[in-house]
Amino acid sequence: MTEPTLPRIRPEIAALPPYRQGKQAGPDAFKLSSNENPFEPLPSVLEALQTTTPINRYPDASAAALRARLGEKYGVEPDAVHVAAGSVSILHQLVLGTASVGDEVVYAWRSFEAYPSLPLVAGATGVQVPLTSGARHDLDAMADAVNDRTRVVIVCTPNNPTGPVVSSAEFAAFVARVPQDVLIILDEAYAEFVTAPDAVDGLGERVFERHPNVVVLRTFSKAYGLAGLRVGYAIGHPRVLDAARTTGIPLSVTSAAERAAIASLDADAEAELRERISVIVERRTRLIGGLRAQGWQVPDSQANFVWLPAGERTDEVAAAFDAADLIVRPFSGDGIRISVGEEESIDRVLAVAKSLL
């Protein structure tokens, strides 16, 4: 049978593998592959979802109510807040708005697997800077990689998938070295799980005010448990965020997502949220301690996942977890990311890990 003639696709896009979601889990398995919150949304959030606006109506394209609520929470004007369908959407929007053919986007590697696609889709060139031996960002090397073609630098803290954070002092020194006309995206999708006292806190430290070229990203997908509703936000200079608002797909944040996010920010909900986060942090601490006691060289994760540096054994190790109904996220030749999940999963993860040594 003759193959049909198809439209021409950009070669770099055709060669780019699609985003690979964490493997889905069967009914008796623990899904530890996508860094999801093991807890359901808070009761007040579920109640709010019962009264969402009718689905035959379009949502508010600007998510004005949520932007106002976030502006109140962080002490900024609503125009300094941008809301989209997850923080990854804002990453795409910002890169599209700032980088094109001949430009460069600098990021650490290994880091969030969506990063390589961002510059390619924009027509720009990605510049990967290897992590240090401790699976941390090498900010000095990243600053060295900045040149007159650089338009964006992405800093992921805690780093996905390895877990370590960038300290406040490290970030301050880094920003001082980057030209003011280069956009710095501080991707803090897992910030709520951080307990390290010296970690950078882009919103708490208000780095976006001292440095208008810094935009801070957060999400409701992880700590807040709204991954299925897709809602994230950015805080930064309004004119910088206008680039994201211009390149974004209109009406991408649903009314249900906006209402659930607002309910998640209410005082009672935030107090209950902190209790749940403390449970996940305790499980994380126990998981890291158990793996290290077995001899695994696990980095100090400050997120809701841990990194198992399995190297060339990665696929073999992942298959062993899979056989035990533990769905993890392998990165072939590198390591395995294991989300902190249900309490019952912790001992099972440790048992499988021990059997592999």
Side-chain angles (χ1 to χ4, degrees):
M1 181 176 178
T2 304
E3 289 292 327
T5 300
L6 298 175
R8 286 173 287 183
I9 306 297
R10 286 168 50 196
E12 61 272 26
I13 298 299
L16 183 69
Y19 175 79
R20 180 180 164 223
Q21 186 183 19
K23 181 179 177 181
Q24 299 300 307
D28 298 323
F30 291 105
K31 186 186 178 191
L32 309 177
S33 56
S34 298
N35 299 341
E36 295 155 330
N37 194 319
F39 296 106
E40 291 186 351
L42 299 167
S44 57
V45 176
L46 293 175
E47 183 179 353
L49 287 171
Q50 305 283 328
T51 58
T52 55
T53 54
I55 60 175
N56 62 310
R57 303 294 183 186
Y58 284 117
D60 175 1
S62 69
L66 177 55
R67 289 193 299 113
R69 182 67 182 82
L70 287 166
E72 177 186 340
K73 176 179 174 66
Y74 294 113
V76 299
E77 293 298 317
D79 281 350
V81 183
H82 174 54
V83 174
S87 56
V88 68
S89 294
I90 304 175
L91 280 163
H92 276 279
Q93 293 163 8
L94 287 170
V95 173
L96 281 173
T98 54
S100 187
V101 178
D103 299 331
E104 293 182 351
V105 176
V106 176
Y107 55 91
W109 196 252
R110 176 171 293 274
S111 194
F112 181 32
E113 65 246 53
Y115 290 164
S117 70
L118 303 176
L120 278 174
V121 171
T125 300
V127 178
Q128 297 183 351
V129 178
L131 299 174
T132 68
S133 58
R136 303 181 72 248
H137 275 54
D138 188 341
L139 290 182
D140 284 336
M142 291 178 70
D144 290 341
V146 173
N147 57 45
D148 59 3
R149 296 183 299 278
T150 307
R151 296 294 176 267
V152 184
V153 183
I154 306 173
V155 176
C156 183
T157 178
N159 185 51
N160 176 18
T162 62
V165 291
V166 169
S167 74
S168 179
E170 288 170 337
F171 188 72
F174 171 73
V175 173
R177 290 190 57 192
V178 176
Q180 295 179 2
D181 61 353
V182 173
L183 173 63
I184 300 173
I185 302 176
L186 186 60
D187 188 350
E188 295 186 324
Y190 301 91
E192 290 82 4
F193 301 105
V194 174
T195 57
D198 62 340
V200 66
D201 179 351
L203 297 184
E205 298 175 39
R206 307 184 74 82
V207 296
F208 53 88
E209 288 184 340
R210 298 193 307 277
H211 307 285
N213 62 322
V214 175
V215 169
V216 182
L217 299 189
R218 295 282 179 94
T219 183
F220 288 94
S221 295
K222 309 304 181 186
Y224 288 92
L226 302 184
L229 290 177
R230 309 304 302 127
V231 55
Y233 61 98
I235 292 184
H237 194 285
R239 290 211 304 273
V240 177
L241 296 183
D242 280 346
R245 288 187 263 264
T246 300
T247 56
I249 297 174
L251 305 165
S252 61
V253 177
T254 66
S255 298
E258 183 180 17
R259 189 178 292 270
I262 292 171
S264 298
L265 295 171
D266 290 342
D268 290 342
E270 290 233 302
E272 191 171 354
L273 178 74
R274 285 192 293 271
E275 292 181 13
R276 292 185 171 190
I277 290 173
S278 67
V279 171
I280 294 172
V281 168
E282 188 278 330
R283 291 176 187 171
R284 177 187 75 197
T285 302
R286 195 157 20 108
L287 190 55
I288 292 174
L291 290 169
R292 285 177 174 171
Q294 294 174 5
W296 292 97
Q297 302 299 309
V298 179
D300 181 23
S301 175
Q302 290 287 304
N304 67 333
F305 54 82
V306 300
W307 175 248
L308 212 58
E312 295 180 356
R313 296 184 62 203
T314 292
D315 293 340
E316 169 202 345
V317 172
F321 279 111
D322 197 353
D325 284 334
L326 296 166
I327 310 304
V328 297
R329 187 62 175 271
F331 298 88
S332 292
D334 229 351
I336 294 170
R337 188 188 66 198
I338 306 173
S339 305
V340 178
E342 293 81 357
E343 173 62 29
E344 297 81 5
S345 71
I346 303 299
D347 286 342
R348 193 185 297 186
V349 168
L350 291 173
V352 173
K354 185 176 181 179
S355 72
L356 292 163
L357 286 173

